[in-house]
Amino acid sequence: MTSDTIAAPRTPAPSRRRGSNLEKWGWIYMRASGVLLVVLIFGHLFINLVAGEGVRQIDFAFVAGKYATPFWQWWDVIMLWLALIHGANGMRTIVNDYVMHAGTRRVLVWALWLAAAFLILLGTLVVFTFDPCLGVTPGSELAALCTA
Ligand code: HEM
C-alpha cells in the first residue's frame, strides 16, 4: 500500500509520535473559537444594526460610548483575538494544502502570523486607549464636552 492510498476500515492506527500535537489543538481551536464567534459576531451585529435605531444610530458618539464601557471593550477585544487567530490559522491550513514549495509555504505562513499579530496589537491598543477627546480643537463639535 502506498502512502496516498486510504487505509482499509478498522486498520490499527500507526503508532503515534509522543509529545503535544499542535495540529490537533489547532483543529480543536477552530471548532471552539467558531462556537464563541457565532455568539460574539451575531451579538455584535444585533447590537449595532438591529437594536435601538438600527444602523442609523452608528456614529462617532455611538462608538465612543461603547469604548467607554469595559463590557464592550472586552467583547470587541475577545472577538478581535479569536477571529484573527481563527482566520490566520484557517489561512495557514489553506496555504499548507495548496502551496507545494516548502520555502514559499514558510514565507506565507510567517506573513500570516505577522499580519495577525500586528492587527491584534493595533486593535487591542485602539480599544483600550481610545479617547474621544484626543486631538479635539477649540470650536469643534466635541470641544464643549471635552473641556467640561
Ligand atoms: C460565525 C463565526 C465562524 C464560525 C462558526 C466558523 C467556523 C469555522 C470552522 C469550524 C472551520 C474549520 C473548517 C474545517 O476544518 O474544515 C473554519 C475554517 C475557517 N475559518 Fe471560520 N468560522 C467563523 C468565522 C470566521 C471568521 C470571522 C474568519 C475570518 C477572519 C474565518 C476564517 C476561516 C478560514 C480562513 C478557515 C479555513 C477554511 C479551510 O480550511 O478551508 N472564520 N471556520
Side-chain angles (χ1 to χ4, degrees), residues 48-70:
N48 285 10
L49 308 177
V50 181
E53 289 170 57
V55 69
R56 268 160 298 154
Q57 71 197 330
I58 298 184
D59 56 12
F60 186 81
F62 179 79
V63 178
K66 278 185 93 177
Y67 285 161
T69 322

Side-chain angles (χ1 to χ4, degrees), residues 72-85:
W72 291 117
Q73 287 181 327
W74 282 103
W75 185 291
D76 281 9
V77 159
I78 294 169
M79 190 164 64
L80 175 84
W81 280 66
L82 287 177
L84 272 167
I85 295 171

Side-chain angles (χ1 to χ4, degrees), residues 27 30-31 34-35 37-38 41-42 83-84 86-87 90-91 93-94:
W27 186 90
M30 294 307 275
R31 267 81 193 155
V35 172
L37 282 168
V38 169
I41 293 174
F42 284 98
L84 272 167
H86 178 106
M91 284 305 299
T93 307
I94 296 173

Side-chain angles (χ1 to χ4, degrees), residues 9-31:
R10 300 187 205 293
T11 306
S15 64
R16 299 249 170 82
R17 265 193 309 125
R18 286 179 155 276
S20 75
N21 185 344
L22 267 181
E23 282 305 327
K24 180 186 80 178
W25 287 109
W27 186 90
I28 291 171
Y29 176 83
M30 294 307 275
R31 267 81 193 155

